[in-house]
Amino acid sequence: MRIRTEIAVPAALALALLAPAGAASASSAAPALPTCRESGLKVAASASGQPETLRVSVTNHSRQACVVDRIPTVVFGDLDGPALPVPEGDSGPFRLPAGGSGYAAVRTLDPAATELRVVDRLTVAGDPSHRGRTFDAAALGAPDGVRVWEPVTTWWHRSSAAADATLDRYTD
C-alpha cells in the first residue's frame, strides 16, 4: 500500500505540535548503541581473596563503543539458573567504550547456607545473548571445586573496588 505524502506530512506536524515543550524529537535522540559482539570482548574471572567470592570482568576490544547487559551472566557447572543480581533489578544496557571494561563481584555461597553444591566450572558472559567463557574451578583457586548455594552477582561497575563495595553492601 502506498502512503500519500499529503496525509503523512500533516500527521507528523500534528504530532510535533502535540509533543510537550522541551521534548526531544526522534531525529535528535542519540542512536542506541549495538550489543557488543562476543568476539570483541574479553571475559575474565579470578579469585578475589575473600572467601566464596570471585571477580569477573568484561573488556571491549573493538574499536567502537557498545553495550552488554548490566547484569553479568554467571552460571555454575550444570546447575539451573544464573547468579541473581544485587541489587535486584531488570536487564538494561551497560555501555562499554572502546577499550573500556566492566567489573562485577560474585558471591558463590551464602554464609548462612545449610546446603551447598560443588561444581568443577563456571561460565561467565557479558551479555545473556553470548555463550560466555568457561573457567575451571582450579583456575579460580578452588582445586576441590567451587562451593555454590544461592549465588549473587553485582551489576557491572567501572572498577573492581566499586563492585566489591556493592557486594559488601548487599550481602552483609
Side-chain angles (χ1 to χ4, degrees):
M1 180 166 113
R2 186 183 292 171
I3 298 176
R4 295 177 44 192
T5 308
E6 54 273 9
I7 294 174
V9 172
L13 181 58
L15 287 175
L17 293 173
L18 294 174
S25 71
S27 62
S28 66
L33 289 173
T35 298
C36 298
R37 295 175 57 113
E38 189 166 14
S39 61
L41 297 176
K42 178 184 177 188
V43 176
S46 63
S48 72
Q50 298 295 321
E52 318 304 344
T53 305
L54 303 170
R55 287 195 179 121
V56 296
S57 65
V58 63
T59 302
N60 178 5
H61 286 290
S62 73
R63 295 182 184 184
Q64 296 179 337
C66 55
V67 297
V68 293
D69 194 278
R70 69 178 168 194
I71 303 168
T73 303
V74 183
V75 179
F76 297 86
D78 293 328
L79 300 179
D80 290 341
L84 296 176
V86 290
E88 290 182 22
D90 295 327
S91 293
F94 179 81
R95 185 180 188 278
L96 286 174
S101 296
Y103 304 88
V106 180
R107 186 199 68 203
T108 65
L109 182 67
D110 185 334
T114 58
E115 299 181 50
L116 65 90
R117 302 287 186 266
V118 178
V119 298
D120 62 352
R121 68 194 181 287
L122 67 94
T123 302
V124 179
D127 192 85
S129 66
H130 298 164
R131 291 177 52 112
R133 180 173 171 202
T134 300
F135 301 88
D136 69 19
L140 299 170
D144 297 327
V146 175
R147 298 173 353 138
V148 181
W149 192 258
E150 297 184 3
V152 296
T153 180
T154 64
W155 297 5
W156 292 117
H157 291 273
R158 295 288 170 210
S159 71
S160 58
D164 291 346
T166 298
L167 188 65
D168 288 344
R169 184 174 335 123
Y170 285 95
T171 59
D172 283 341

